Each structure stands twice: as C-alpha cells, then as structure tokens.
Amino acid sequence: MEAKRLIAITTESDYPDEPGLIALMLTDGIDLIHIRKPAWDEERMRSLIASIDERWHNRLVLHSHFRLTEEFSLHGVHLNSRALHAPEGYKGPISCSCHSIQELQERSPQMDYCTLSPIFNSISKSGYISHFTDAELTCAQHCGIINSKTMALGGINAENISILWSWGFGGACMLGYLWEAKSREILKCRLRTLRQKAKQL
C-alpha cells in the first residue's frame, strides 16, 4: 500500500519567510501546498507564487484566482464556498472542501480528492470543534464514502494522525500544527515524524 498523502495549507495572512518555509515543507515530506489567502487580490497572490522557486510550482494548489494556475503551471485548484467552480475549460486536478458525510458522498466522484473537516478540534481556528463520531467515520469508511480520495482536515498532529488510517482516509491536510512550529528545526522534526507515520500502515 502506498504512503498516505500529506498536504499543508497556508495561513490566511502574511507569514515571515513564507516562500522559504513552503520550500522546506515540500522538501521534507509534504506532497502538496494549498495556498489559501481569501482576502488577497490577484496581484498579491501572483507575487507570492513568483517568490516561490519554480521547481515547486507543480505542487501548489490555489483556493482563489484560478487563472494563475496556467500562468505559473501550478498543480490544481481547490473549490470552496467562495470559489464554487473551476474556470471554464480547465483540465487540471480539482479538489474541494466538504463538511459532512453527505456532502462528501455527493461531491467526491467528480473530484481528484476532497477534504473532510473538522475531524479533530482545530488547532488554528478557535471554537472550530469536531462534529464527527468514531461510529460515523467508521460507517462512512465501510460504505466506501471515505476512501483514498478523502483527506482529513482539522486538528491533525503527529499524535493523532495514525488514527486517520483506521477510518480509511487517503491522507491528511494540516495548517496549525505546521505553521505554529517555533523554529525551522521543530518544523523539520514534525515533518519527519508525520512522514514516518504516513508510511507506517
């Protein structure tokens, strides 16, 4: 069985040395980076992407300003409540956000992958509490709704990530656990541990 996919999501605002940290994450175990900056205009998003080494562009996914995927040959687009549709004629990978088992069941067949959240209580969003039970997630797995195309999101860290595999998730998306690391050394340690646990199936 292949290792599970690990995806990082950027913070919404500016972050010190963000291009460098994105490169570090992609070098040390993260498969894809979702760039989520809902308040940014297209020019600001363009500037961030341009500051990231071009060799990483094909592993970046945009949550907005989708036409930049062609300008920079990016990996794909991610649909959410603010961006409901991919550009007309777009043929690259498409993912989407889901917040219920029913929504996941309805949308997953048309997507390359979906995120389901919040699986655990969020690290980065105060008050964003998990509303899924073990029984609900286990049932969804047995019914084939949660599968290799389903990425867990919300409150994931090195201590709980292995639980996701028992529910059939194909990977994990993380935000707070990575960006709240106090140093590059701590971040590298966290990435190394996450990758090891993504391979221990």
Side-chain angles (χ1 to χ4, degrees), residues 3 5 15 22 25 30 35-36 52 79-80 95 115 147 153 169 182 194 200:
R5 180 177 283 187
Y15 196 91
I22 286 173
M25 291 182 191
I30 294 297
I35 300 182
R36 181 177 177 273
I52 298 169
L79 308 182
N80 50 55
S95 57
T115 63
N147 53 44
L153 170 63
F169 285 96
K182 301 300 183 183
L194 290 167
Q200 294 172 356

Side-chain angles (χ1 to χ4, degrees), residues 49-98:
I49 297 170
S51 67
I52 298 169
D53 193 305
E54 187 175 354
R55 62 177 168 159
W56 304 121
H57 285 184
N58 64 355
R59 291 166 64 184
L60 303 178
V61 177
L62 291 186
H63 283 223
S64 59
H65 306 301
F66 291 157
R67 67 178 183 174
L68 294 176
T69 57
E70 295 185 6
E71 184 176 331
F72 289 100
S73 299
L74 305 182
H75 177 83
V77 302
H78 185 84
L79 308 182
N80 50 55
S81 60
R82 293 177 302 278
L84 298 175
H85 305 286
E88 184 175 353
Y90 176 77
K91 300 185 183 303
I94 302 174
S95 57
C96 76
S97 300
C98 296

Side-chain angles (χ1 to χ4, degrees), residues 178-195:
L178 299 178
W179 295 100
E180 291 180 9
K182 301 300 183 183
S183 67
R184 281 176 169 257
E185 289 69 26
I186 292 174
L187 176 58
K188 286 184 177 183
C189 181
R190 291 183 177 186
L191 291 167
R192 183 167 55 250
T193 302
L194 290 167
R195 179 47 66 189

Side-chain angles (χ1 to χ4, degrees), residues 50-174:
S51 67
I52 298 169
D53 193 305
E54 187 175 354
R55 62 177 168 159
W56 304 121
H57 285 184
N58 64 355
R59 291 166 64 184
L60 303 178
V61 177
L62 291 186
H63 283 223
S64 59
H65 306 301
F66 291 157
R67 67 178 183 174
L68 294 176
T69 57
E70 295 185 6
E71 184 176 331
F72 289 100
S73 299
L74 305 182
H75 177 83
V77 302
H78 185 84
L79 308 182
N80 50 55
S81 60
R82 293 177 302 278
L84 298 175
H85 305 286
E88 184 175 353
Y90 176 77
K91 300 185 183 303
I94 302 174
S95 57
C96 76
S97 300
C98 296
H99 303 286
S100 70
I101 299 298
Q102 180 179 350
E103 185 180 18
L104 177 65
Q105 185 176 22
E106 292 171 352
R107 304 202 69 184
S108 182
Q110 292 80 41
M111 300 293 155
D112 288 88
Y113 61 89
C114 295
T115 63
L116 181 64
S117 66
I119 301 304
F120 305 115
N121 296 344
S122 176
I123 297 171
S124 60
K125 295 182 180 180
S126 178
Y128 194 41
I129 305 300
S130 170
H131 55 257
F132 297 103
T133 65
D134 174 79
E136 184 177 17
L137 295 171
T138 299
C139 181
Q141 177 198 12
H142 290 164
C143 293
I145 300 170
I146 293 177
N147 53 44
S148 61
K149 293 172 55 177
T150 315
M151 308 295 130
L153 170 63
I156 297 165
N157 57 40
E159 285 67 47
N160 61 28
I161 191 171
S162 296
I163 302 172
L164 302 175
W165 316 149
S166 67
W167 289 320
F169 285 96
C173 296
M174 289 156 287

